[in-house]
Amino acid sequence: VFIILESVGARWTSLSARGGYETTPMLKAETSHAMVFDNFYAHIGRSSNSLSAMLLSVYPKLGFRDMTDEHPDLPGTSIASVFHDQGYRTGFITPSELTWAGWDHFLSDRGFDDIRDERDLGCPEPISSWGVEDRCMVDDMLQWIDRDAEQPFFLMTWTQQTHHPYEPSPGQSMMSLSREPVLDDYGFDRYLNVLRETDRQVARVFAAVRAAGREKDTIIVVTGDHGQSFGYPHESSFMQGRAVYEEDVRVPLLIWSPRTYRTPLRSNVVGSHVDLAPTIAELAGIAPAPEWQGRSLFDPQRSPRAYFYVAEDEFMLGVREDRWKYIFNVREGSHELFDLTADPDEQKNVAAMHPELCARLRRHLAAWTEANRRRYLHDEPDGAVDAPAAPAAP
């Protein structure tokens, strides 16, 4: 079971190594039989591009558009297809409407036996313009899982209530959870409360697996599609996809497997969305697709870096390696370097103190950018691409 939490950054969850918020107490309780990854990243604050990265293990194009709209027939082997070819029943369920940004087209012919959205879930009243309650998705998930108890299954799901405007469920009691000086107290508290409700609904999946006696042969993976910013600890970072600070791109990752994990474990491995498909395949004992760009988080030979970018008013590239986070602003030609061990809130730019480290990380960004440009070059007329040129020295 693969659950993606919409607009959920690691900072705002109870899974955060630094304490976090009391927003996901049920997921926190499940860490007793799970591994939590503390340094896991989305490539960009844009759901469509996260979908392509997670489903196909491919870096999204460094551009300004939604991958699902721009490349609806993007070549590649999906994680669903890999499981389907091994005899698994496969499904995709979300409480949103999949016509948005061409998700319905993008998901078709990707190895899913069933693709279900808000129109199929039996909840007639949308809770917002984005769809129905996450509760409706979980109701449908439990029915789908129980439909055939004998056949193995792969189920991918995507929540929606934690997307702006953070609409609470009817009758949901609101708690005062905010404790930081954000720019939007009202929206932030709504967000934290809705996240707590989504956590309560997702907990029903774990409970149902246990009630059916399936916990020894079931793996549940929970992550976020991207972060969400509220003007703290960076005033310039607000909403999503406008910066690459930790609150924007670092997302939770929990892998639950009582058969594998008898005690809670945490990992400092640096990884990103492109690594999820090969990681899930390895956990299931299935060979990864040869063209996947990611590597299993359990592979000791994998790259120690994660890459991310912004394509909005600014065009920024970022890379995380070990304790270091390097950000290059393509339009301004400026850069930032943060020591996340000493400065987890990214308040002190130490780029001037480490010129050789900055130069090396910038070379990695240049190589990543060029590889991305070449991958998508054939999709543009006359070879033109909207990705940035490889970064030069500031």
Side-chain angles (χ1 to χ4, degrees), residues 191-377:
Y191 172 79
L192 297 176
N193 275 272
V194 170
L195 177 53
R196 190 177 175 94
E197 171 63 14
T198 294
D199 174 72
R200 188 174 75 87
Q201 295 300 330
V202 168
R204 295 167 52 207
V205 179
F206 293 88
V209 168
R210 286 196 181 93
R214 295 173 174 169
E215 68 272 19
K216 296 300 183 182
D217 58 3
T218 300
I219 297 168
I220 300 178
V221 177
V222 183
T223 191
D225 68 330
H226 53 72
Q228 191 78 342
S229 305
F230 296 90
Y232 181 86
H234 302 95
E235 287 191 7
S236 60
S237 176
F238 199 75
M239 295 296 286
Q240 65 189 64
R242 299 178 183 177
V244 287
Y245 294 122
E246 291 291 273
E247 61 270 26
D248 300 286
V249 291
R250 190 167 65 88
V251 293
L253 176 60
L254 175 144
I255 298 176
W256 181 87
S257 175
R259 182 174 64 182
T260 306
Y261 304 117
R262 307 258 177 110
T263 58
L265 293 175
R266 302 194 82 94
S267 174
N268 288 320
V269 167
V270 175
S272 55
H273 278 161
V274 75
D275 300 314
L276 277 174
T279 300
I280 293 171
E282 179 177 331
L283 288 168
I286 297 174
E291 75 271 23
W292 284 352
Q293 291 187 296
R295 294 293 181 268
S296 169
L297 295 169
F298 303 108
D299 182 353
Q301 303 303 315
R302 63 185 308 281
S303 167
R305 288 172 288 277
Y307 297 94
F308 25 82
Y309 69 104
V310 159
E312 292 287 345
D313 296 333
E314 303 290 343
F315 210 123
M316 291 180 282
L317 305 169
V319 58
R320 169 74 191 272
E321 179 187 274
D322 193 24
R323 65 194 290 170
W324 302 104
K325 171 93 163 284
Y326 180 73
I327 301 170
F328 184 83
N329 189 311
V330 176
R331 287 179 172 169
E332 294 182 359
S334 60
H335 63 173
E336 298 173 279
L337 179 71
F338 300 103
D339 178 352
L340 295 182
T341 300
D343 178 26
D345 285 342
E346 301 164 291
Q347 297 297 294
K348 184 178 180 181
N349 179 7
V350 296
M353 300 168 59
H354 302 277
E356 293 183 2
L357 176 60
C358 290
R360 182 174 65 79
L361 293 176
R362 191 163 56 250
R363 287 195 295 270
H364 282 297
L365 283 177
W368 180 60
T369 301
E370 178 62 13
N372 190 277
R373 186 188 72 83
R374 289 181 179 276
R375 181 181 184 89
Y376 292 102
L377 183 64

Side-chain angles (χ1 to χ4, degrees), residues 48-49 52 60-61 65-72 74 376:
S48 297
N49 298 29
S52 63
K61 181 181 176 181
R65 305 181 184 100
D66 286 292
M67 287 289 292
T68 50
D69 257 344
E70 186 179 14
H71 298 284
L74 183 68
Y376 292 102

Side-chain angles (χ1 to χ4, degrees), residues 94-117:
T94 181
S96 295
E97 187 173 334
L98 288 173
T99 55
W100 182 81
W103 281 37
D104 50 353
H105 188 144
F106 187 84
L107 289 169
S108 65
D109 299 320
R110 300 286 186 186
F112 290 109
D113 295 317
D114 299 299
I115 299 176
R116 299 171 61 78
D117 69 1

Side-chain angles (χ1 to χ4, degrees), residues 83-144:
F83 276 92
H84 188 273
D85 290 347
Q86 293 293 320
Y88 282 66
R89 184 166 57 99
T90 57
F92 185 100
I93 302 174
T94 181
S96 295
E97 187 173 334
L98 288 173
T99 55
W100 182 81
W103 281 37
D104 50 353
H105 188 144
F106 187 84
L107 289 169
S108 65
D109 299 320
R110 300 286 186 186
F112 290 109
D113 295 317
D114 299 299
I115 299 176
R116 299 171 61 78
D117 69 1
E118 66 166 341
R119 296 164 293 182
D120 306 304
L121 304 189
C123 287
E125 293 298 325
I127 197 166
S128 74
S129 61
W130 289 103
V132 297
E133 296 174 67
D134 289 342
R135 170 187 62 81
C136 307
M137 180 194 77
V138 173
D139 288 346
D140 201 62
M141 287 175 66
L142 301 184
Q143 294 175 20
W144 190 92

Side-chain angles (χ1 to χ4, degrees), residues 3 150 174 258 277 290:
I3 302 171
E150 300 302 320
M174 301 292 285

